[in-house]
């Protein structure tokens, strides 16, 4: 599979590096307005290939994206310390118009995988600008928040995060919803699992995990300026689900016809991801409070996207 990455700062380059290490693509093309940066990143990643899986890694202009199956959009301005993702909107929306035009001139049929923040609104922007079907314009959404949720739950329960099945829904941002009700460890709810091992999930534990998930990006940005390793690995994971037609259930963002009474809004829900893009959307069984929180998140995103239109 040929994968293009537009915007090779920390997130784009981390995605390229993760793809190379995981063997997620046979060819990786890096594109950036800073051509020297793209060349340098491509050469650096290429030097890791002998330690991992065979792949061609090169830099070029938009024309080099010809034949790409997936193009990761990681272009845009970085999030500032203390800045919410939604406040990035006006600074990033203009960047996307020219980027998508360039991508589609070379690879009009590629699945677009959006990583730029605020990712849900930018996914909506990318879909409208590209005029591709909604299932072929995928935002990374809450895939990283979900990984954080599973990691912290696994740590509390003393099990591998891969054995935890829990999702973060809605916005990739402050209004995101940690779906506790349907969360499972193995074949039982996390609350029952926790009771069996003598580590009950109290309100204090919930609050600590919620803060650990919801505030993670802010703490990382405060410490080192941006996040890139986690999301780079998450993007590589989505690409592999597409490449191998895995039909994996991943919490990614696409424009959705209706969620909690809110129409045509891009947000994250568990989605079946395969070769055609998003193939199915699943609605978890939520309690009343979670339903209300998801609706509030959807309304916020809808209002923001509509203001941009």
């Amino acid at each position: 599979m040929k994968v293009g990455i537009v915007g090779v700062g920390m997130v784009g380059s981390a995605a390229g590096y993760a793809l190379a290490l995981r063997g997620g693509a046979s060819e990786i093309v890096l594109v950036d307005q800073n051509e020297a940066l793209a060349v340098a990143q491509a050469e650096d990643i290429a030097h890791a290939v002998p330690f991992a899986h065979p792949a061609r890694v090169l830099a070029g202009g938009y024309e080099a994206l010809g034949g790409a199956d997936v193009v990761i959009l990681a272009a845009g301005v970085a999030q500032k310390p203390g800045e919410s993702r939604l406040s990035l909107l006006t600074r990033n929306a203009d960047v996307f118009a020219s980027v998508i035009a360039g991508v589609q001139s070379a690879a009009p049929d590629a699945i677009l995988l959006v990583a730029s923040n605020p990712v849900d609104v930018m996914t909506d922007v990318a879909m409208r600008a590209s005029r591709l079907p909604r299932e072929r314009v995928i935002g990374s959404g809450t895939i990283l928040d979900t990984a954080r949720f599973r990691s912290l739950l696994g740590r509390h329960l003393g099990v591998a995060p891969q054995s935890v099945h829990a999702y973060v829904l809605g916005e990739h941002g402050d209004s995101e919803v940690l779906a506790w009700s349907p969360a499972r460890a193995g074949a039982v709810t996390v609350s029952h699992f926790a009771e069996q091992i003598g580590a009950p999930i109290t309100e204090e534990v919930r609050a600590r995990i919620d803060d650990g998930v919801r505030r993670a990006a802010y703490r990382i940005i405060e410490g080192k300026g941006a996040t890139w390793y986690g999301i780079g690995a998450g993007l590589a994971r989505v690409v592999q689900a597409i490449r191998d037609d895995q039909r994996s259930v991943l919490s990614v963002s696409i424009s959705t016809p209706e969620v909690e009474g809110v129409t045509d809004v891009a947000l994250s829900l568990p989605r079946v991801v395969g070769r055609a893009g998003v193939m199915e959307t699943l609605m978890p069984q939520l309690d009343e409070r979670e339903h209300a929180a998801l609706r509030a998140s959807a309304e916020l995103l809808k209002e923001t996207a509509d203001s941009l239109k």
Side-chain angles (χ1 to χ4, degrees):
M1 171 178 277
K2 180 175 181 177
V3 177
I5 303 175
V6 180
V8 293
M10 300 311 299
V11 170
S13 61
Y17 182 57
L19 279 168
L21 291 187
R22 292 174 62 98
S26 57
E27 184 174 349
I28 303 168
V29 179
L30 307 185
V31 178
D32 197 281
Q33 64 176 356
N34 183 341
E35 295 180 8
L37 175 63
V39 170
Q41 298 281 38
E43 186 171 355
D44 198 11
I45 294 171
H47 294 163
V49 167
F51 304 110
H53 301 269
R56 294 182 64 222
V57 185
L58 61 150
Y62 285 114
E63 69 281 354
L65 298 174
D69 301 284
V70 177
V71 176
I72 296 171
L73 303 178
V77 293
Q79 188 174 6
K80 298 177 181 178
E83 181 182 28
S84 72
R85 293 179 180 92
L86 291 178
S87 71
L88 287 173
L89 177 59
T90 56
R91 298 201 295 140
N92 265 336
D94 290 342
V95 174
F96 259 45
S98 60
V99 167
I100 290 173
V103 170
Q104 291 206 291
S105 67
D109 298 321
I111 291 175
L112 301 182
L113 180 52
V114 181
S116 302
N117 276 319
V119 68
D120 302 292
V121 179
M122 300 315 294
T123 298
D124 182 73
V125 169
M127 187 196 72
R128 290 189 282 111
S130 66
R131 299 186 179 182
L132 287 170
R134 66 180 79 220
E135 65 270 12
R136 296 182 67 81
V137 183
I138 305 171
S140 57
T142 61
I143 192 168
L144 179 54
D145 308 276
T146 289
R148 291 166 176 158
F149 190 21
R150 293 178 178 182
S151 177
L152 292 173
L153 276 172
R155 186 180 304 172
H156 178 76
L157 298 173
V159 299
Q162 290 86 349
S163 295
V164 178
H165 307 285
Y167 295 92
V168 176
L169 314 176
E171 178 202 359
H172 173 54
D174 297 338
S175 72
E176 64 189 22
V177 181
L178 278 65
W180 287 91
S181 295
R184 297 286 188 275
V188 300
T189 65
V190 294
S191 59
H192 287 161
F193 190 108
E195 290 173 3
Q196 290 181 47
I197 65 170
I201 298 178
T202 63
E203 285 303 314
E204 185 277 331
V205 170
R206 283 197 180 212
R208 173 167 48 81
I209 291 176
D210 185 281
D211 181 74
V213 174
R214 198 178 302 276
R215 302 296 300 175
Y218 294 111
R219 283 190 288 269
I220 294 170
I221 290 169
E222 183 178 354
K224 69 174 192 175
T227 67
W228 56 81
Y229 292 127
I231 189 57
L235 292 165
R237 176 69 184 90
V238 176
V239 169
Q240 285 194 297
I242 294 169
R243 184 198 67 179
D244 298 335
D245 196 22
Q246 292 178 350
R247 308 190 180 212
S248 299
V249 179
L250 304 171
S251 58
V252 293
S253 180
I254 66 169
S255 179
T256 308
E258 187 273 330
V259 179
E260 299 290 350
V262 182
T263 58
D264 295 319
V265 59
L267 48 60
S268 287
L269 290 170
R271 320 272 188 181
V272 179
V273 180
R275 191 65 183 85
V278 170
M279 305 173 72
E280 299 288 348
T281 293
L282 309 174
M283 176 57 74
Q285 294 179 318
L286 307 176
D287 64 23
E288 186 175 340
R289 183 170 57 178
E290 291 163 344
H291 276 296
L294 182 56
R295 178 177 177 83
S297 186
E299 288 174 338
L300 173 64
L301 289 167
K302 174 70 170 179
E303 179 182 353
T304 305
D306 285 350
S307 69
L308 182 62
K309 294 176 186 178

